Amino acid sequence: MEQIFSISDLFNPEALLRYGGVTLLLVIVFAESGLFLGFFLPGDSLLFVAGLLADSKYLSPPVLVIWLLLLTAAIAGAQVGFWFGKNAGNYLESRKENLFYKKKYLESTRSFYDRYGNSALILGRFLPIVRTFIPILAGMVKMENRKFGMLNMVGATSWVSTMFFAGYGLGNAFPGISEHLELIVGGMILITAVPVWITMSKVRQKKKNANVKFPSTFSF
């Protein structure tokens, strides 16, 4: 009996690629790169697993073609987020919180931006949640279009290339490793969570020292 795609599969990179192939891969990378509704999607592990499964029946286009398509999706998604932030900043500030949007995500991203400045647009690509909201914040603070465009391209290229080719290289070095994707995805989640935890802990401590309450990024 053929398996039916479920909501839980949205958090399973292997299932996403097996069901949706290149099309779903690009949609998710686009959404997580700048649409605030996409912050919960597994971008890092998805890119890594995409590299592992490149040249397989699930991702049949040439590796360089997939890479270029991923770059385009990541750059375009952030550009849309930047445009949205520039034109709807007040809307986000006053928007009512719901399951998909909480002001603490924007506040955490603002703290990260205050700490790292323009470099946050590159470093933030490697941090879940921040990756989604940093282009929106850049638009809200009215960053110059050309500067954002350059930083966006550098950040997207660094993120996509690192994650995708790390997976591709590992898959070529150990051909049978794709049979253990569950362990790999679990490891990726832990690896990507560490810098988030360290960064947010520093920001939280700074807020604490300033007697300002800092909301936890990971609570819903």
Side-chain angles (χ1 to χ4, degrees):
M1 186 176 178
E2 188 175 341
Q3 265 189 321
I4 299 175
F5 188 81
S6 64
I7 295 297
S8 63
D9 286 327
L10 284 174
F11 307 96
N12 185 337
E14 179 187 0
L16 289 170
L17 293 175
R18 293 189 190 281
Y19 281 107
V22 174
T23 301
L24 189 56
L25 170 64
L26 297 177
V27 168
I28 289 175
V29 169
F30 175 86
E32 206 203 6
S33 294
L35 307 185
F36 70 85
L37 291 176
F39 74 89
F40 62 89
L41 296 169
D44 293 317
S45 53
L46 186 63
L47 286 174
F48 190 83
V49 173
L52 279 175
L53 296 180
D55 286 335
S56 73
K57 62 180 179 180
Y58 303 109
L59 295 175
S60 56
V63 172
L64 289 181
V65 171
I66 296 176
W67 174 68
L68 288 173
L69 290 173
L70 287 170
L71 279 182
T72 302
I75 292 170
Q79 196 65 50
V80 170
F82 177 70
W83 174 87
F84 178 80
K86 211 163 195 179
N87 292 278
N90 293 333
Y91 167 77
L92 281 181
E93 295 284 5
S94 59
R95 178 182 171 84
K96 196 172 183 179
E97 293 189 353
N98 54 44
L99 179 63
F100 296 103
Y101 172 71
K102 296 185 184 298
K103 289 182 181 179
K104 62 187 174 184
Y105 301 148
L106 193 58
E107 292 168 359
S108 299
T109 304
R110 193 186 299 275
S111 296
F112 186 81
Y113 182 80
D114 290 342
R115 184 179 180 86
Y116 294 103
N118 293 334
S119 298
L121 287 164
I122 299 173
L123 299 175
R125 281 283 187 175
F126 294 87
L127 298 176
I129 299 178
V130 172
R131 172 167 55 246
T132 303
F133 283 90
I134 196 69
I136 298 173
L137 180 63
M140 291 174 66
V141 299
K142 308 299 182 185
M143 179 179 285
E144 198 265 325
N145 291 348
R146 186 174 180 181
K147 179 185 289 185
F148 174 80
M150 292 176 60
L151 292 169
N152 183 23
M153 285 191 289
V154 173
T157 302
S158 301
W159 177 54
V160 170
S161 300
T162 299
M163 295 299 172
F164 180 73
F165 285 116
Y168 182 70
L170 188 64
N172 277 274
F174 304 97
I177 201 170
S178 59
E179 298 176 5
H180 307 283
L181 284 180
E182 290 184 2
L183 292 175
I184 294 171
V185 170
M188 284 295 299
I189 292 173
L190 289 176
I191 290 171
T192 55
V194 168
V196 177
W197 182 83
I198 293 174
T199 299
M200 295 309 172
S201 293
K202 289 180 179 178
V203 175
R204 188 181 296 110
Q205 186 60 45
K206 184 178 179 181
K207 290 284 185 178
K208 185 178 179 181
N209 292 340
N211 294 320
V212 177
K213 185 179 179 182
F214 182 72
S216 174
T217 302
F218 297 103
S219 61
F220 287 83

